[in-house]
Amino acid sequence: MLAVATTSPALPSHVTRPADNRLLLWTVLTLLWCLAWDTAGQDLALARWFGDTSGFAYRDHWLFSGVLHRGARRVAWTLQFALILAIGWPVGVLRLLSRRERVDMFITSMVVLLVLTGLKSSSSTSCPWELREFGGVAAYVSHWRWGVPDGGEGKCFPAGHASAAFCFFSGYFALRHKAPRAALIWLVVTLAAGALIGFAQQVRGAHYLSHTFWTAWICWVVAGATMLALERFARGNPFTPPGRS
């Protein structure tokens, strides 16, 4: 995904703890942002920018549907295949990682996708284009009211296509100690790709903006937790709290 090299050395544990604390702080702050957006109830208001009673004009647009929907999905799976190849034949910044770390990176991205797929398949939330006010049959129901049908097909939360980009948060967690600068670039590219896909789905009426926010947050937490668990298992002390031996 990234061909940027760096000479930044791996950081000792006593230096990385403040960075871990900052990550935790940003995780909490973004959670609060997602909750605030849900509380403000702006999903429908924003959806009305792009849709009306006749539906969403850009639903089948060549750019939003062809390139940023179907095309982005193909690119994402191509990158996953590239991660598999990189386990044995690393390129660019991935050369800084050990084989085990590259395996962990691939496993983490797969775990993220599996978790998001599971959540999506069990969701009763329908896509915006299924709502009555946009020419469909469903009524608006908050995506947090699990098990409450809205009259549509459901299975629209979280955002599957955005997760195809956000699953690559695994690269940030794999690189952040050995190559902090490259990890930051990887993170920015991942966020930008996910935001672009999320915007395309918003314009098409396939998702609400909150779906993209929550998908990014869930992918971030799952990726971080999975990578941490894999690192601890590799050290042989998966149940030992950080800082103890």
Side-chain angles (χ1 to χ4, degrees):
M1 182 176 180
L2 196 64
V4 178
T6 179
T7 57
S8 300
L11 300 177
S13 60
H14 71 277
V15 175
T16 60
R17 286 186 194 123
D20 292 340
N21 291 336
R22 286 194 295 271
L23 282 182
L24 180 58
L25 175 61
W26 279 110
T27 301
V28 172
L29 289 176
T30 51
L31 172 61
L32 294 176
W33 167 259
C34 291
L35 292 172
W37 180 266
D38 275 358
T39 301
Q42 294 302 303
D43 273 343
L44 273 178
L46 191 57
R48 292 180 184 121
W49 286 14
F50 307 103
D52 54 29
T53 54
S54 61
F56 289 82
Y58 293 103
R59 177 171 179 172
D60 299 313
H61 190 273
W62 68 269
L63 174 60
F64 300 113
S65 179
V67 177
L68 296 177
H69 178 60
R70 293 189 296 272
R73 179 171 53 192
R74 296 189 188 102
V75 170
W77 282 112
T78 300
L79 290 175
Q80 292 291 357
F81 181 69
L83 281 184
I84 298 176
L85 294 179
I87 292 173
W89 300 279
V91 296
V93 72
L94 296 180
R95 293 194 188 100
L96 297 175
L97 301 176
S98 67
R99 182 185 292 265
R100 180 193 61 78
E101 289 169 332
R102 296 194 296 272
V103 170
D104 288 352
M105 180 177 165
F106 173 72
I107 291 175
T108 296
S109 66
M110 288 291 99
V111 169
V112 170
L113 290 175
L114 287 173
V115 170
L116 266 290
T117 299
L119 291 174
K120 188 179 177 71
S121 65
S122 62
S123 172
S124 56
T125 298
S126 298
C127 302
W129 59 37
E130 291 192 59
L131 265 61
R132 295 190 192 102
E133 67 173 285
F134 300 124
V137 297
Y140 177 77
V141 176
S142 170
H143 47 252
W144 290 121
R145 298 185 66 185
W146 292 93
V148 179
D150 55 19
E153 295 182 2
K155 299 178 175 32
C156 197
F157 175 79
H161 277 72
S163 70
F166 293 137
C167 72
F168 289 102
F169 282 145
S170 61
Y172 169 77
F173 287 105
L175 290 164
R176 66 193 185 96
H177 293 318
K178 287 190 173 180
R181 183 176 299 178
L184 181 59
I185 295 173
W186 189 294
L187 176 61
V188 171
V189 171
T190 300
L191 285 170
L196 182 60
I197 294 172
F199 173 74
Q201 294 295 78
Q202 171 82 42
V203 171
R204 297 180 64 238
H207 285 289
Y208 299 107
L209 184 59
S210 65
H211 291 189
T212 301
F213 288 158
W214 281 109
T215 299
W217 191 85
I218 294 169
C219 288
W220 173 263
V221 171
V222 173
T226 302
M227 188 64 75
L228 178 61
L230 290 172
E231 289 173 353
R232 291 189 181 179
F233 270 104
R235 292 197 301 266
N237 56 348
F239 305 110
T240 301
R244 298 183 184 179
S245 58

